[in-house]
Amino acid sequence: METIVIEKEIGGTLFIIESIVPTKADEKVIKEKVKKLIQNNIETTKKMADKGA
């Protein structure tokens, strides 16, 4: 993860905004985890259907 800091002055007040942004490597890991979660959900749903739930 990468932190990006943005400083903005609005009406004499300084706002510091920190954003945590995933890097390309993080995005790949996140996509893999999401893929696995979806796969697990599909398998669980199939099992429940087989049991007649």
Side-chain angles (χ1 to χ4, degrees), residues 17-37:
I17 302 149
E18 278 191 26
S19 303
I20 299 172
V21 182
T23 58
K24 284 286 174 202
D26 292 329
E27 275 182 25
K28 195 172 181 181
V29 170
I30 292 166
K31 282 180 184 172
E32 284 298 313
K33 285 184 178 178
V34 169
K35 224 184 262 183
K36 282 181 185 173
L37 280 173

Side-chain angles (χ1 to χ4, degrees), residues 33-50:
K33 285 184 178 178
V34 169
K35 224 184 262 183
K36 282 181 185 173
L37 280 173
I38 292 170
Q39 194 62 43
N40 285 346
N41 285 347
I42 291 169
E43 287 171 15
T44 303
T45 306
K46 284 181 184 174
K47 284 178 190 169
M48 288 172 72
D50 291 342

